[in-house]
Amino acid sequence: MSESSVYSTVLYSVEGRVATLTLNRPDRLNAIDDRMPADIEAAVARANADDAVHVIVLTGAGRGFCSGYDLKFFAENPRGVYGSQEMPWDPMVDYALMKRNTEQFMSLFRSYKPVIAKINGPAGGGGSDIALCCDLIVMAEEAQIGYPPARVWGCPTTAMWVYRLGPEKAKRMLLTGDLIDGREAQRLGLVYQSVPLAELDATVDALAARMQGIPKNQLMMQKLMINQAFHNMGLESTQMFATLFDGITRHSPEGVRFKARCEEVGFAQAVRERDSGAPIP
């Protein structure tokens, strides 16, 4: 028996004991708009409330998982630096907005039912935040993941890089802003498994099938126990700093210049300049 329904940016369907959440803005590579974080949280809550569901799978429609925040709109919009605030910048208004988004992404981490991220295409910037909040990640070898805004105009608010990779490998990723493919992500230990795109669906289906026969209370206890170790390591305070720093990166001298450059030449060209390896003005 299956069911399906649509939030504004997330498709929700259930087949047997598995609920599938599909980020659904394929024309923008499923980029995050102002509706998607709340839609993710609502879909996770729905799956947790459904007694029939044991496992959640999160993926993206079309050829991408999630390309990050829809920065073409936010960066090229002549309004405030984020797009929601006029200057002068109030850091606490910014923090409240971004912390809300972070908490909504973290609904995946807090979900009592295990969440498998199925990364079928780019998972960049805020899209990597979403993926890294999931319990297990299976990634197409051809897909890419990373946090390019670490170069300028961003800090990953969920801070999950360090908890998944440890300090040195997290620094390797965030001090370069590099994107890596699925093979490299598995080698570093960022994702559980990387397979050819043609095998991705079958691999995730097999993993979900292995979990779905386990009682929900067993799944819940194992996940809560492991997650508590993250909390004991200071996850919440780390996320507070990361979310504050994210606002600062968008209002630093270099961040303000990057925003102006996006308005001047367009986001795509400004990103090419940012990621070229040349010194950032």
Side-chain angles (χ1 to χ4, degrees):
M1 181 176 180
S2 65
E3 60 170 295
S4 63
S5 60
V6 183
Y7 296 85
S8 58
T9 65
V10 177
L11 301 177
Y12 181 95
S13 64
V14 176
E15 186 71 38
R17 291 182 165 192
V18 179
T20 299
L21 283 52
T22 305
L23 306 179
N24 190 38
R25 299 187 70 222
D27 56 323
R28 298 289 302 143
L29 285 176
N30 304 313
I32 302 161
D33 63 6
D34 55 1
R35 302 164 297 170
M36 185 177 286
D39 284 350
I40 291 172
E41 183 179 45
V44 170
R46 179 174 176 180
N48 273 266
D50 186 342
D51 195 53
V53 170
H54 285 229
V55 182
I56 301 169
V57 173
L58 176 68
T59 192
R63 58 190 182 87
F65 177 78
C66 176
S67 58
Y69 280 91
D70 198 342
L71 293 181
K72 178 175 173 60
F73 170 76
F74 291 124
E76 294 179 5
N77 189 328
R79 291 189 62 209
V81 172
Y82 176 69
S84 61
Q85 220 188 126
E86 301 291 353
M87 299 298 282
W89 172 57
D90 185 332
M92 292 296 97
V93 171
D94 194 300
Y95 174 79
L97 169 68
M98 294 307 297
K99 190 64 164 71
R100 181 194 68 198
N101 287 3
T102 300
E103 289 301 303
Q104 289 168 335
F105 297 156
M106 285 292 288
S107 66
L108 297 158
F109 181 84
R110 293 189 301 267
S111 167
Y112 291 143
K113 298 173 182 181
V115 184
I116 303 169
K118 180 167 69 174
I119 299 185
N120 54 317
S128 67
D129 276 323
I130 293 171
L132 297 180
C133 285
C134 298
D135 301 305
L136 290 167
I137 301 173
V138 182
M139 184 173 176
E141 293 176 345
E142 303 89 336
Q144 290 191 313
I145 190 170
Y147 198 88
R151 297 182 61 81
V152 73
W153 226 55
C155 179
T157 63
T158 65
M160 294 302 290
W161 291 90
V162 67
Y163 292 96
R164 284 186 170 269
L165 288 177
E168 187 170 31
K169 291 176 182 176
K171 288 175 181 177
R172 176 262 181 269
M173 292 301 300
L174 297 181
L175 297 179
T176 64
D178 286 346
L179 290 165
I180 57 174
D181 66 17
R183 299 175 189 85
E184 179 73 357
Q186 181 177 343
R187 189 186 72 79
L188 291 176
L190 182 65
V191 306
Y192 165 65
Q193 191 174 6
S194 171
V195 297
L197 179 61
E199 300 174 17
L200 184 62
D201 287 344
T203 301
V204 171
D205 289 347
L207 183 58
R210 184 65 178 155
M211 294 180 187
Q212 68 178 346
I214 297 173
K216 294 188 297 297
N217 55 16
Q218 284 289 122
L219 295 169
M220 180 177 175
M221 285 186 281
Q222 310 306 337
K223 179 170 176 175
L224 283 173
M225 178 271 292
I226 296 166
N227 282 4
Q228 188 58 45
F230 283 46
H231 292 303
N232 290 344
M233 287 189 280
L235 176 61
E236 176 61 30
S237 58
T238 302
Q239 289 183 339
M240 182 184 72
F241 275 107
T243 305
L244 283 169
F245 287 167
D246 183 62
I248 294 171
T249 65
R250 286 180 273 107
H251 297 83
S252 68
E254 296 82 2
V256 170
R257 184 200 174 277
F258 177 75
K259 173 69 162 63
R261 187 65 174 158
C262 289
E263 294 179 28
E264 178 186 351
V265 299
F267 177 66
Q269 176 60 29
V271 166
R272 281 192 289 269
E273 296 170 2
R274 178 195 70 188
D275 296 347
S276 68
I280 294 173

